[in-house]
Structure formats: C-alpha cells, structure tokens
Amino acid sequence: MKIAVLPGDGIGTEIVAEAVKVLKVLNLDLTLETALVGGAAFEAHGHPLPDSTLKLAMDADAVLFGAVGDWKYDTLDRPLRPEQAILGLRKNMGLFANFRPAICYKQLTDASSLKPELVSGLDILIIRELTGDIYFGQPRGRRIATDGHFPGSEEAFDTMRYSRPEIERIAHVAFQAAQKRSKRVTSVDKANVLETFQLWKDVVSEVGLQYPDVALDHMYVDNAAMQLVKAPMKFDVVVTGNMFGDILSDAAAMLTGSIGMLPSASLNAKNQGLYEPSHGSAPDIAGKGIANPLATILSAAMMLRFSLDQAEAAARIEAAVDAVLSQGLRTPDIYSAGMTQVSTREMGDAVVKALG
Ligand code: IPM
Ligand code: MG
C-alpha cells in the first residue's frame, strides 16, 4: 500500500512527523513517500501543487496531508497561493465527500467553550461536499479577471453552483453514513434565499425517499449555526455544501474543546482518500513544538480504516489516543489545571508507547 505524505506548511511538518512515527510502529506493509506541497512547494518549485506532487498523490492508495498556508503568501496571485494546492488535490482526485467528525472526548469535556452538560458525549458527523459550490464556480478557469477581481474597479465576483448529480452523490453518502449511526440526517441549506440551495434541498429530499429508515430534516445555515452552539447534541449526521460545511465544521470542531483533536477524510468514488487534520497550518505557533498532533494521528487512523482496509490497526491508534488523554497528557491547546503539559513530539511518543 502506497501512501503519499504531504506535510505542507507551518505546523504541518511537525504534526505529520508524529503521525508517520505512529504508522511506522504498526508494522504494516506501507510504503511512505513524501513530497512538498503548498508554500513549501512554491518556494522550491514555483508552484503550490507541482505536477510531481499531484502525480504522487493520484498514484497513491491514500494521501496523508498536513496543512498549507501562511500569511506571507497573501499577496501572491491567487493560482500561486498555498490554498490552491489542497483545492487542486480535491478537484483532481475527485474527493467530493469530506467527513469531519466532531467528537467530544470525555477527558476533554472541560476544554470546550460550552458548558460540559451541553457537549458531554457529543458525536456529530459533518459531511461536507468538497468539489463544488462557490469554491469551484466562476471565475475559476476564466482568462479575463481570472481571480474574479477586476483591477482598477472596486468589484469582484464568485459564483455558487451545484448540479443534480453532485448533490445526489453526496446525499447518498450522508444517508448511508446515517444508516450506520443513529439514522438521522440534517441537511443544511439556504433555500430561502439561494437557488443553488433550493436545488440542494429538493434533491436531498428526493434521495431521502430511497432511505425510508433514515429521518431527514432541513435547516437553514444561519439557524444551524445557532443550534450548533445552543443544543449541539440534537445533531447527528449533518450534510451540507462546500462553503457552509467549511464554516460549520470549524464551529462544530471547537465545541469539542480543540480543533487540534479532529481528523478528517476526503473520499472519491473509488474510496481513494486524502486524510488531514481539520485545522490549518497555524503559522503563529509553527516551529515551537507545541502543536497538537492528535488530529493528524487520528487522520492516519481514518486512512487505515477507510482507504487501506486496516480497521483493526485504526482501532488500535484510536485506543492509544484515548489512553494518552486518560494519562492526563495535554498539548497547550487542550491543557487544563492538574494535567501534564507535553510537546508535539512527546505527545507522538506517548501514542507510540500506548500502542504497546
Ligand atoms: C478547510 C480549509 C480549506 C477550505 C482552505 C485551506 C482552502 O479551510 O479545509 O476547511 O476552505 O476548504
Ligand atoms: Mg476550513
């Protein structure tokens, strides 16, 4: 099994190193090959997603990704910015289904910004459509005003679009995921204002008829944002478009105490996947050895389960993460009084040790 390892920028290199360490001690038959991506690739090759990196990813069974981005690239032409690397990987690999679980570990209930009684036992699965919506509408690919910004005029544009097949396939993913959980799906839209999301709502409802065992409800995105912080336990599987999913998944992640705990999986129709922590490159803390590697380590577990058919190894990693939390080990983002503060590397080492 071949894994493309793309650490990227900022804390990406530090946290991916810990996940790689964990993968290596499992003694599975894995070939890991590393390549530059994002700002790091721009520095070395003049492009955030060089052809060689894209090819490595496309040919691999799975991709383990860190994070991309740094403020210092904010003035580059948009096609050269680090973020284009992850968008290009998602689009080229057809990774349309993004799974972002928001699980509140019992050991971290106190680290949530909400009262413990609101989040204790929280287990939400956000399913974000990842290759459509306003992220990939015009101006993408246009020659004039390629970045949607007309120089000299104070005007810019982006277009939101979805097609029926794009909505159908993500809806199926959501209903099938719900069948394995508590059989409830909340579809989040803005059908009261946007045509794109009226189509979304109609198509999700239609697909829902094929899953009579799953209860479907619809919620406007503004209300969903409110409900997430008011009564998050009411949600189970949430399915939504690319942009709403981007926003809501950050909010849901924080309910669990730290975005540094949450993995994600982005899958295509062949179950080839890209696995990355839900958080970004955090340039403000890069190089300090304080980033939380657990989201990336848990992403590696998701990779073993979803793309590499190694559910048992995945469960071992998850149990090891649970164990280090129970031992009281905390990186600064999840630290609370009485716990033992550890560095990125110490956390990775502790997981390795807990694997036994
Ligand atoms: C995410 C990130 C990306 C996104 C950025 C880095 C392009 O915020 O994965 O949520 O907007 O999708
Ligand atoms: Mg985001």
Side-chain angles (χ1 to χ4, degrees):
M1 291 173 291
K2 215 173 115 188
I3 299 169
V5 180
L6 310 181
D9 306 323
I11 59 171
T13 47
E14 302 162 52
I15 53 181
V16 167
E18 300 311 311
V20 165
K21 202 154 80 183
V22 168
L23 283 172
K24 284 192 171 153
V25 298
L26 290 170
N27 269 327
L28 301 167
D29 186 18
L30 305 176
T31 312
L32 307 179
E33 217 177 304
T34 303
L36 296 175
V37 75
F42 173 76
E43 302 287 350
H45 305 290
H47 197 278
L49 182 59
D51 288 342
S52 53
T53 299
L54 179 59
K55 186 171 182 326
L56 180 73
M58 306 265 290
D59 292 346
D61 295 298
V63 180
L64 184 64
F65 191 91
V68 289
D70 191 307
W71 303 301
K72 69 181 181 214
Y73 302 113
D74 283 358
T75 52
L76 281 179
D77 279 353
R78 188 165 301 279
L80 295 178
R81 292 199 206 170
E83 290 78 9
Q84 296 302 313
I86 184 67
L87 296 177
L89 283 164
R90 289 172 183 168
K91 196 68 181 174
N92 281 289
M93 295 177 73
L95 305 167
F96 71 92
N98 183 216
F99 290 75
R100 295 195 168 181
I103 295 170
C104 188
Y105 282 81
K106 59 182 186 309
Q107 301 94 325
L108 298 181
T109 312
D110 288 333
S112 173
S113 44
L114 294 191
K115 297 190 197 85
E117 61 266 31
L118 288 183
V119 293
S120 138
L122 186 80
D123 182 356
I124 301 176
L125 176 60
I126 297 195
I127 299 185
R128 169 187 176 194
E129 199 290 331
L130 204 57
T131 52
D133 203 348
I134 197 163
Y135 271 63
F136 293 98
Q138 285 180 3
R140 194 153 282 267
R142 282 167 58 111
R143 281 313 306 158
I144 33 155
T146 35
D147 56 0
H149 184 258
F150 300 97
S153 69
E154 292 300 309
E155 190 186 322
F157 73 93
D158 300 276
T159 37
M160 180 176 270
R161 61 163 293 287
Y162 264 122
S163 67
R164 166 176 285 275
E166 285 174 315
I167 303 167
E168 280 174 354
R169 64 182 182 178
I170 194 72
H172 282 292
V173 167
F175 286 113
Q176 284 164 20
Q179 283 181 322
K180 297 185 200 132
R181 297 168 52 104
S182 63
K183 301 192 165 53
R184 286 188 294 121
V185 170
T186 302
S187 171
V188 173
D189 64 61
K190 190 71 189 176
N192 50 344
V193 177
L194 302 170
E195 285 310 311
T196 319
F197 276 91
Q198 184 63 54
L199 180 68
W200 175 280
K201 186 174 183 177
D202 294 346
V203 173
V204 172
S205 298
E206 270 177 53
V207 173
L209 298 175
Q210 298 173 43
Y211 299 88
D213 54 328
V214 178
L216 169 66
D217 68 332
H218 302 274
M219 205 180 270
Y220 296 138
V221 62
D222 48 349
N223 185 26
M226 181 175 84
Q227 298 300 334
L228 261 182
V229 291
K230 185 178 164 208
M233 302 286 281
K234 285 194 182 151
F235 292 96
D236 192 69
V237 173
V238 174
V239 65
T240 190
N242 205 344
M243 184 153 76
F244 298 158
D246 179 43
I247 299 165
L248 293 181
S249 62
D250 265 31
M254 204 53 220
L255 301 180
T256 70
S258 172
I259 196 168
M261 288 300 300
L262 297 178
S264 81
S266 305
L267 302 179
N268 65 19
K270 299 180 293 190
N271 256 355
Q272 194 186 21
L274 180 147
Y275 299 82
E276 58 175 325
S278 282
H279 59 74
S281 56
D284 52 329
I285 61 162
K288 297 189 176 158
I290 59 173
N292 185 346
L294 293 179
T296 316
I297 291 171
L298 290 166
S299 299
M302 278 183 114
M303 173 175 85
L304 292 171
R305 178 173 291 117
F306 287 132
S307 290
L308 305 177
D309 205 21
Q310 298 284 336
E312 205 180 304
R316 278 185 65 204
I317 295 180
E318 287 156 356
V321 167
D322 203 72
V324 300
L325 292 175
S326 292
Q327 289 159 22
L329 305 184
R330 303 283 187 270
T331 43
D333 57 306
I334 49 174
Y335 180 77
S336 59
M339 299 294 136
T340 310
Q341 188 160 317
V342 294
S343 68
T344 308
R345 188 173 306 154
E346 286 165 339
M347 188 61 110
D349 288 343
V351 173
V352 166
K353 195 158 163 233
L355 280 167

